[in-house]
Each structure stands twice: as structure tokens, then as C-alpha cells.
Amino acid sequence: MANCETLLAEWSAFGPPVDPDEQAQFSMVRRRDIDDGAFGVAMSEALGNRPHALLPAFQGAFHDADGERFLILTLPQLTAANTERLAFETARCMMRVLPAESVRPILIDSLVGEAVISRPRPGAAGEAILPSCNTEDLGPGARGWAPFGLGVREAWKHNRGAGATIASIDTGYSGHRQLDGVISRSKTQLNLVENDGNATDRFSTNARMSNPGHGTLVMSVVASRGTVDADAGTGGDDDVTGTAPDAEILPIRAIRSVVDIRQSRIPAAIEHAVTQGCDVIVMALGSPFAIEPVEAALRRAAAAGVVTVCAAGNCFGPVVFPAKMAPLGLATAVAAVDYALQPWEKTSKGGEVTISAFGEAVWGAKKRAATDSDTGVKAQQGTTLATSLTAGVAALWVVRHGGRDALRAHARARGTTVQKLFNECVQKSAHRPSGWPRGMGAGLLNAAALLDFPLPTTSVPADVPLATDHVTPLKRFLPATVGEADALGGLEAGGLDEAWAAEALWRFYQASARRRAESAGVKWPPADPSGPTGRSPSSSLRDALRDRPHLRALVL
């Protein structure tokens, strides 16, 4: 195997990053028996004194008793764009030479998958890919049809979310009529992109395939002040309504674009939502990969009694992270259906999905540039919409049962968490039509039935206390994920060492997204054999898959 300095020298040949968000990064977990100083020395030796920054993944509230174990390494002179092979090879090398429990590359991740990230920066070639992740966007004309169809109007007889706060981890918020009165004034905003306390959306257009305004859309679907009448109409000609129209939103700007994200800011964003006392976190974003501090943050959010609602994903096929961690009791994973209760054509699906909600032709705020109107609304699509609708209903559920503290006390007495209670209640109260498709969770979210559903009172002694610093090996996710597509491939994935399971998981998602894009008529240019090889699978992964033909066909 190549040593770390040789790999880093090869990486340098790709040139420096053209965007700070494309700097090479790794997440790592320091061993408990090694102090911060010794780890820093080992890091400098491994990097050959190459310029780097090694910083905590959290801002202090999630501090471990034995120091900052969850770390983010940034190599500012190396690019993360189109260099995945080197990223995985370097992570494996660091695991050999560093006193670390885990090392994973922080890749340029995408909710819409290979259809976007393997393409060049914005321009004719890349922009043409996005329509392949859209559908006909058909739905009823009434703007309140989606909340109405989820039983929200009946649920509002109990409450409309007053007293609850939902943290939106996204691109931030903008001045828009649909957000009037929505943004919390009692809690502190956070901007982890520009590093200040102002979480307004800067409408970044320099991100690859940027989609500014995404956070404003999410917040409008969660908590726009409005009503729904008996005909599913809303309160005005241009109005939409959120599912929790009396709740407040705490905006946390952690990404410039939901299409391409860097996960390194997500742990601190979750930490801030918890320390600010939020009841619900909504993350309408996702990745085909997981980094350790995101899982650690979700575990601590669950221990604090927070309900985290995540998008299952668009256009990949398999459920993305962090929604994929729903079976661990760390999130609610939401897939998208259309008006006819059929899976939205581009929704991710799988055994990890908790529940489905409407994700096509759902009305929300539309503002994609600072110069756009503050009153624009549009019927839009994606698991973003399904997730946002569900997050608002989660806030109604929290208020219905006396608030987060009361729910946390109930959960503790039962030996579980509020997150697991919510998932249990939302699944048992779901509407499940005849012929409900596999991989779409327990059924359609039913807000009215959920708020009438009694909290379970029996104890669950098998539900062990939440290990807040545990990190799940990626090899645990690989067999089930691959098995959704090919049972034999899933069997072959079992027993693959963690060192190669991580790269295999990433490449399986990319291959899945690429196949879906090609099935939609997107023609992929052949790879240039004389060009850079930073995206090609590593030779060691090829060797590891040599006797696994089904898995190899799905990954390489």
C-alpha cells in the first residue's frame, strides 16, 4: 500500500481547490487513550508537515469528558472535487498510522446523486441534468391540498404548534411574506457558512448546482401562517400554509446548496439546535455517506428529547444519510408520494423509511435570488416537501403531549427516547391503503390520527440506553443497502472489511444514481482514459471485490 505522503503528493497534482467548500476534508474519532497533543503530533507526522487545520467537529456544548474526540481535518491545498479514490485511499492510510478509532473522507455529497456531482460546474452540460430529477408535478389546484390530505385540519383542533420551535438546518431564510412571524425571536440564529449569527440566505450561486432559497421553501411548508378550509383552499390568493402555522422556526445556515453539501458543518448545526432548546429538527438534505460526528450529534439530540425529521432522498434509489439511521432510533425518515398515494417517481425508498408524506405539487414559498419577489409561491416537488410537512406535524405532536420535557420524562420512564416514541406513534397511526408499496414506510402520515393516538405506557427493557458517543461502522449498512437492489450482492457485502466497505457504499450509491439518470434518458460521456483518475475506484477495492461478482457489478 502507498504511504500517506505518496498519496498526498499524487493528490497535489490535481491542483488546489477553486472553491473553499471543495477543500479536502476528513472526519475522525481520536482514540480515548491518546490525548489531544499526542494526536496532533501524530497528525503532523502523517501529513509530512503539509498545511492543515485540525478542529473539533462541535463548538463546545457536546464536549466529551475525555476531550474533543470528534475532529475535522482540512487540507486547504488539496481539492475534494473528483478525487474520491485518493480520499478513500488516504483515509485508509491514516487509519494505519494515526491513533484513531475511525477516519472517513468528507466528500462533496449530493441529495440528487451522481446525476449532478459527476458533472462539471454550472453550465449547459451540468444544468441539463437537473430536469431528469423532476416529474410532471401534477396535483390538485387547491393550495392547501397537501396539509388537508394529511389530516392536518382535524389535527389543528388540538393545537397549531404554538410553543414549539423547529430548527431548520439548511441554506438559511430570506425576507418573504410566507415567513412573516415565523422566525424565532427568542433563540439565537447561527450561520456556519459565513461564520456569524445571521442565518439569512446569501443566495449563493458559486456553489456547484446551487439552489438558493431552499431553506425558505422548507420553513414555509413547515410553519407559514395560514389556514385550510373544507375545500382545501388556503387563506388568500397567494397564500400557502404550513402544517404547524403557530410554531416558530430557528434557522441555522449550514449549507450553501442542498444539491451539493459538505457534511462538516452539520454536527455543529445539530449541536446548536439542541443547546437552543428546539423541539424538532428538520433536515431536508442528505448524503450517500455518513461521517462520524453527524451520528454522534444525532445520538445526543435523541438523548435530549429532540425529534429529528430527515429526507429519504431524491434520485439515488436507496435511502440517504442521515435518514438511513432511522432504524437506530436517531431520526424519522420520510419518503415522498404523489396525490394518488403512489411513490413520487424520484423518491428514495427502502426498509429504513419510517413514513411517507406528499412530495409532489406541494405549495410553498419560492425565492431563489435576492431580487425575486417576497410574495412568490409555487407548487414544488421532492422529499424536501414531504419532510417539511412531517416536521410541522411532529411539532403538533410535541405540543399535544405537553412539550419536549414532558415527553422526555415519559420516554425515560419507559426506557426509550422521544425520537423512538414519535416513530412508534407515527407508524401505528399511519394510513396504509391496500397495496401500499414496499419501502415506503408504515403508510401515509395521518396527522389527525397521530394526535389522537395515545402514548405507549408499557416499558421496553430491551431498548438499551442511548450510547451518545457510539459510531456505527459503515459495513453494517452496506449489506442491507445493496440487498435492496440485489439479494446476492447483499450477501456478498457481508463480511467486507470496514476499510473497503466505506468506499463500496459510496460507489454503490453513485452507480445507483447514474443508472436512474440513464434510465431517464441522460446520456453519459465515456470516461477519458488519458484524463485524471481521481474518481476511479481504488485498486485495493477492486481486489477486495474480486471474489464478490454480484457486489462488484453493482459497485464498479
Side-chain angles (χ1 to χ4, degrees):
M1 293 185 180
N3 64 42
C4 297
E5 289 191 41
T6 301
L7 289 168
L8 294 171
E10 181 183 354
W11 202 333
S12 296
F14 285 82
V18 298
D19 182 328
D21 261 15
E22 293 179 357
Q23 294 176 351
Q25 290 185 319
F26 295 85
S27 71
M28 51 190 63
V29 185
R30 176 178 55 79
R31 271 182 12 208
R32 294 181 186 276
D33 60 334
I34 301 296
D35 63 29
D36 295 342
F39 192 86
V41 170
M43 177 64 67
S44 294
E45 291 176 351
L47 298 176
N49 295 315
R50 184 178 296 272
H52 68 278
L54 185 63
L55 298 173
F58 301 115
Q59 296 193 327
F62 285 179
H63 186 79
D64 289 297
D66 53 355
E68 301 291 353
R69 296 180 55 245
F70 294 91
L71 303 166
I72 303 293
L73 169 69
T74 301
L75 299 170
Q77 295 180 345
L78 302 180
T79 179
N82 302 318
T83 55
E84 290 91 338
R85 173 182 63 81
L86 289 164
F88 282 110
E89 288 183 336
T90 302
R92 288 191 285 263
C93 183
M94 288 183 178
M95 272 298 295
R96 296 196 305 270
V97 302
L98 291 177
E101 294 179 5
S102 177
V103 178
R104 296 177 187 171
I106 303 178
L107 305 168
I108 299 175
D109 300 330
S110 174
L111 187 68
V112 298
E114 177 79 359
V116 173
I117 69 172
S118 70
R119 286 289 183 164
R121 292 175 125 355
E127 298 289 359
I129 303 302
L130 287 177
S132 73
C133 202
N134 292 333
T135 55
E136 294 179 345
D137 207 22
L138 299 176
R143 292 181 177 175
W145 77 267
F148 184 93
L150 296 177
V152 167
R153 190 165 180 266
E154 291 298 310
W156 285 345
K157 293 178 180 179
H158 295 289
N159 72 85
R160 287 165 48 94
T165 302
I166 303 105
S168 171
I169 298 176
D170 214 291
T171 62
Y173 73 102
S174 62
H176 195 287
R177 187 173 73 183
Q178 296 303 325
L179 299 190
D180 288 349
V182 169
I183 306 302
S184 173
R185 295 181 179 274
S186 62
K187 300 187 186 299
T188 304
Q189 297 178 21
L190 181 64
N191 181 337
L192 292 163
V193 179
E194 287 82 17
N195 294 309
D196 59 35
N198 180 356
T200 54
D201 194 329
R202 310 303 161 87
F203 297 101
S204 304
T205 55
N206 55 338
R208 299 198 306 172
M209 295 299 191
S210 59
N211 61 338
H214 187 269
T216 294
L217 168 63
V218 167
M219 294 178 215
S220 70
V221 177
V222 173
S224 280
R225 279 34 181 155
T227 59
V228 177
D229 62 29
D231 296 317
T234 53
D237 291 341
D238 295 319
D239 286 343
V240 299
T241 186
T243 47
D246 288 348
E248 291 186 340
I249 299 282
L250 174 63
I252 301 174
R253 177 166 161 82
I255 58 174
R256 295 184 300 169
S257 167
V258 77
V259 178
D260 288 289
I261 70 172
R262 297 306 298 275
Q263 290 187 69
S264 48
R265 301 188 189 103
I266 304 301
I270 297 171
E271 176 189 35
H272 185 72
V274 173
T275 58
Q276 287 295 306
C278 294
D279 305 289
V280 176
I281 296 172
V282 57
M283 287 195 287
L285 49 80
S287 161
F289 203 64
I291 63 171
E292 304 94 337
V294 169
E295 180 177 351
L298 289 171
R299 288 181 175 277
R300 295 174 195 198
V306 179
V307 176
T308 302
V309 183
C310 300
N314 302 344
C315 296
F316 266 119
V319 176
V320 298
F321 295 94
K324 199 171 190 67
M325 295 179 179
L328 302 178
L330 303 183
T332 302
V334 186
V337 295
D338 62 18
Y339 176 67
L341 303 186
Q342 295 301 304
W344 176 59
E345 292 176 28
K346 309 298 181 178
T347 188
S348 290
K349 61 182 72 172
E352 305 91 346
V353 172
T354 311
I355 198 75
S356 289
F358 296 120
E360 186 177 37
V362 177
W363 286 83
K366 180 180 182 295
K367 185 171 183 179
R368 294 179 54 84
T371 55
D372 285 354
S373 168
D374 289 347
T375 62
V377 296
K378 182 182 179 181
Q380 302 180 61
Q381 60 186 275
T383 53
T384 285
L385 288 308
T387 304
S388 304
L389 290 165
T390 303
V393 172
L396 303 182
W397 179 82
V398 170
V399 174
R400 173 76 168 110
H401 294 291
R404 180 165 56 92
D405 289 343
L407 277 167
R408 189 181 183 193
H410 181 93
R412 279 182 169 177
R414 190 171 177 256
T416 186
T417 64
V418 176
Q419 178 72 66
K420 291 182 179 180
L421 276 181
F422 177 73
N423 284 1
E424 182 177 350
C425 291
V426 81
Q427 289 179 308
K428 288 185 176 178
S429 62
H431 170 56
R432 190 178 181 94
S434 176
W436 184 252
R438 180 175 174 268
M440 295 296 288
L444 180 72
L445 174 66
N446 186 334
L450 172 64
L451 266 64
D452 284 333
F453 193 83
L455 291 178
T457 56
T458 56
S459 62
V460 186
D463 194 1
V464 297
L466 199 70
T468 57
D469 62 349
H470 178 70
V471 174
T472 306
L474 291 175
K475 66 181 181 180
R476 300 287 179 86
F477 296 106
L478 182 63
T481 303
V482 173
E484 294 273 356
D486 183 282
L488 290 177
L491 288 173
E492 291 177 354
L496 189 66
D497 189 88
E498 179 75 2
W500 293 280
E503 184 178 2
L505 183 67
W506 162 265
R507 294 194 178 281
F508 173 76
Y509 272 94
Q510 303 312 300
S512 176
R514 183 168 183 153
R515 287 191 293 269
R516 287 170 68 99
E518 289 175 336
S519 70
V522 177
K523 184 176 181 180
W524 296 93
D528 180 0
S530 64
T533 59
R535 290 190 62 86
S536 60
S538 64
S539 58
S540 59
L541 176 65
R542 292 182 184 278
D543 290 343
L545 301 182
R546 183 168 293 150
D547 297 325
R548 294 175 166 90
H550 295 274
L551 179 60
R552 182 184 178 93
L554 292 167
V555 170
L556 301 183

